[in-house]
Amino acid sequence: MKKSKVLILCAILLLVFSQLAFSDESEEKATFKALPGSLGVQAGNLSGYGLTYQRWFDNSFGIQIAGGGYYFPVDREEGVPFDKCADYSIGVEIQKVVFASDFGHPLLAGQLYVAGGLVHRGYVNAIEHIGNESDDYNTLYTQGPYVPIVGIGVGIGIEFVLFNHLSIPVEFHYAGFWEGKEVAEGEEAKQFNLSPTPQIGLRYRY
């Protein structure tokens, strides 16, 4: 049973590599030439969260813009649906294709690219004040201070395109962030962090 599974896996890998090796160069990048733009949604600390627009130029360089946000007035007794009463982000990425192909198949295309991004985010926390027996209330909520965030990073991405139009970009970046929250004097280093940042999107190419 194990041997048959190994043989099936080897056959699949052989088929994939044969498609890569013998795909017609004239067909390569056909999807990206015919459908350079895309609209959809994006989720990532570096790319930003929300609606996104992406476009490839000369089948080589691309630009992506993403952004979104929400705001809920603070109810003193009920609070807000999330831990923040306001949160927004807007991000920009510049992308460079390393490899792209249709693999000789009309329903599947993909490309590997490198990317660099810049993001701005801001949020306002809803602060919970827990009362005690000496207070005339149980719990109240107030609006906290505005906190800005700026981030920059670089990484790689893979874009899968199904049925010529459905685009699924998956990215992995390393990014540095500055968060303008209040810290004690001499502890400004706590405002900075460097972290791996996975991202994903869902777009329609046109």
Side-chain angles (χ1 to χ4, degrees), residues 102-181:
D102 287 343
F103 307 118
H105 197 289
L107 301 181
L108 173 65
Q111 60 182 353
L112 172 69
Y113 58 91
V114 293
L118 178 67
V119 67
H120 166 62
R121 180 186 172 199
Y123 68 85
V124 176
N125 282 323
I127 301 176
E128 183 181 34
H129 303 273
I130 300 176
N132 52 51
E133 293 181 357
S134 62
D135 297 322
D136 58 355
Y137 66 89
N138 293 322
T139 301
L140 292 179
Y141 298 86
T142 60
Q143 181 173 302
Y146 168 73
V147 179
I149 298 175
V150 177
I152 187 170
V154 294
I156 60 173
I158 300 175
E159 180 182 13
F160 303 96
V161 181
L162 306 176
F163 308 106
N164 293 323
H165 293 282
L166 182 61
S167 167
I168 306 173
V170 179
E171 300 177 356
F172 186 88
H173 295 262
Y174 273 97
F177 297 93
W178 171 81
E179 186 172 359
K181 59 186 177 182

